[in-house]
Amino acid sequence: MEKDTQLMIIGNGFDRACGLESTYSSFFKYHYSKIFNLKNKPATEFNVEELKDKFYKLRDDALSIFKSFHDKNNRYNELLKKYPDLKNVNCWDLIFLAMTISQNNSKINLKWCDVEDTILQCINSLLIKNVFPVSDPLTDFFIQQISSITLRQTFSEGNSKDNYSLHLLNELHKFEDTFAKYIVKLMENSNYNHNVIEMIKNLYDENSYSLSCNKISILSFNYSADMRIKNAFNEKPRFPSITHWSNIHGLAAYKNGNVRQIIGKGNEVPSPIFGVDNHDITSFKEIDGVKKDPRFFFTKAYRLLENKVNNIREPFNYTDIKLITIMGHSLNSADYTYFITIFNNVHLYDSDVCLEVYYYANNNKMHDTQEERMAIRNISNLLINYGNTIDDFHGQNIMNKLVLEKRISIIPNHHKFKC
């Protein structure tokens, strides 16, 4: 059977090109402006120093109250009198904020992979080393005390690390729900859905191999566009149909009734998740012959199963894939497992499947050169990891093989839509 499918793998850069301000930096500024009452200033007016000042004042006021009150509930109630908005803050809000501003940068320029890296750093510190990961001792102590109140759990009270881990996970759910509301709000006030359709058309029309693909499959790492785009796209007869759409990490609009009916077919729709890759946890502890590690609850494998992500997945045939197009994904190691699985299923090393990777270009030569180099480095690292699952020789050889066989391209994306 002839291969005839173009698999498009899209990440946050795809959404940004479609006009959605879905970067973590944008969310960070929006979220923490509300928490610290910075009057929801536009991103261009966001003052990092003002945010630092407010955070450190909260920390110092809290530490002063902690000295005066020994009972946790009394401490928290006194703190809420001075900071009533704190009741809507969970420990991950404080952890992400503290670790960001501790970097002493004058600008907030974060990526979603930074969130996953922070989660990994935190669970390594909290659940393995029994310490908080922020370098400043006063900030560490402040977050530890707030967390012990909001989680009602501390190691010193004899609770198991599994219980503590699950409480931390419940707090992460709250952070993810706040993010979901932010994405839904962005989508409601934009031309985003129209832009997504146009971008998919561009990726199909402009594929670097002029391959005659008759079908399109979408694997989205985003929480925004969903299967409803597939239905709208397929109304355009000039283009091949989208036969498959999967949002691998859940949907921002998971509470929407129409989404549950159309996508979940009445079943629960998975909410957005953040997690770490199994490979990033270097050693699972073995207890009585069974591998156990409290960090396991934060791996993407666990979170996807817990989140019922299969409720919104459609059957997919890897044997039909002729071209893999990657756009807007950082190719961070936290998602290596997904890509390696795909490459293995299509037998990328010894097949005729082609690969193209888009990077963001803005017609600034220095910027575009840097972005192209980053894209080459990132895809090279990913391919070496994939090749090493076959054997060490293939790992080092695969990039050269794809280049010699003209099966890989690094392509600038000049398309940028406004919402």
Side-chain angles (χ1 to χ4, degrees), residues 22-250:
S22 54
T23 64
Y24 179 54
S25 294
S26 299
F27 169 68
F28 185 100
K29 294 167 185 176
Y30 166 83
H31 183 46
Y32 290 103
S33 290
K34 290 185 67 177
I35 288 177
F36 289 96
N37 194 26
L38 298 183
K39 301 176 182 178
N40 289 326
K41 294 179 179 179
T44 53
E45 299 177 17
F46 189 85
N47 190 321
V48 178
E49 293 304 319
E50 183 181 0
L51 178 61
K52 286 183 180 180
D53 291 342
K54 285 184 175 288
F55 174 77
Y56 288 130
K57 186 175 188 312
L58 165 64
R59 182 200 67 183
D60 295 342
D61 287 345
L63 293 176
S64 177
I65 289 172
F66 293 164
K67 286 182 181 179
S68 304
F69 296 88
H70 296 290
D71 180 78
K72 288 182 183 178
N73 289 329
N74 289 339
R75 285 177 171 182
Y76 197 48
N77 290 335
E78 285 298 314
L79 194 56
L80 285 178
K81 288 179 183 178
K82 195 160 190 176
Y83 294 93
D85 289 338
L86 197 61
K87 65 179 180 294
N88 299 319
V89 175
N90 66 70
C91 68
W92 284 103
D93 287 323
L94 297 175
I95 289 171
F96 287 130
L97 176 58
M99 293 189 71
T100 300
I101 65 177
S102 67
Q103 297 171 6
N104 293 319
N105 293 330
S106 60
K107 294 182 180 180
I108 303 292
N109 186 25
L110 301 169
K111 300 177 181 178
W112 282 113
C113 58
D114 296 323
V115 175
E116 294 166 339
D117 289 342
T118 298
I119 292 172
L120 178 63
Q121 188 178 347
C122 281
I123 60 177
N124 284 340
S125 297
L126 290 167
L127 301 175
I128 302 301
K129 301 175 184 176
N130 293 0
V131 296
F132 271 74
V134 184
S135 57
D136 173 14
L138 286 177
T139 303
D140 283 351
F141 180 73
F142 161 62
I143 297 176
Q144 187 176 30
Q145 293 301 307
I146 290 291
S147 298
S148 69
I149 294 169
T150 57
L151 297 176
R152 302 291 192 270
Q153 296 280 322
T154 61
F155 295 140
S156 60
E157 292 170 345
N159 293 296
S160 72
K161 287 190 177 181
D162 274 358
N163 286 340
Y164 191 82
S165 180
L166 289 172
H167 280 279
L168 278 172
L169 186 58
N170 288 337
E171 290 290 286
L172 187 58
H173 282 309
K174 297 175 185 177
F175 185 86
E176 291 162 346
D177 186 60
T178 301
F179 165 70
K181 292 174 181 174
Y182 170 73
I183 293 297
V184 169
K185 183 177 180 180
L186 290 181
M187 292 171 64
E188 288 174 346
N189 301 320
S190 68
N191 298 318
Y192 170 71
N193 288 342
H194 168 78
N195 295 345
V196 169
I197 291 174
E198 293 303 310
M199 187 64 75
I200 293 173
K201 290 179 183 178
N202 291 333
L203 291 178
Y204 174 77
D205 277 341
E206 299 173 8
N207 81 68
S208 57
Y209 299 96
S210 300
L211 297 172
S212 55
C213 295
N214 301 317
K215 302 173 188 173
I216 297 172
S217 290
I218 306 288
L219 180 63
S220 176
F221 283 83
N222 300 327
Y223 313 93
S224 41
D226 54 54
M227 206 181 298
R228 291 172 294 177
I229 294 289
K230 181 184 97 168
N231 299 336
F233 186 93
N234 289 343
E235 294 176 357
K236 313 292 182 182
R238 188 171 71 86
F239 289 90
S241 62
I242 296 177
T243 58
H244 172 273
W245 186 297
S246 283
N247 293 83
I248 197 163
H249 289 153

Side-chain angles (χ1 to χ4, degrees), residues 268-293:
E268 181 181 347
V269 173
S271 60
I273 65 157
F274 306 139
V276 301
D277 192 276
N278 290 13
H279 293 96
D280 288 327
I281 297 178
T282 53
S283 62
F284 282 84
K285 292 185 176 181
E286 191 163 299
I287 302 171
D288 297 329
V290 178
K291 289 187 176 181
K292 294 184 178 181
D293 191 311

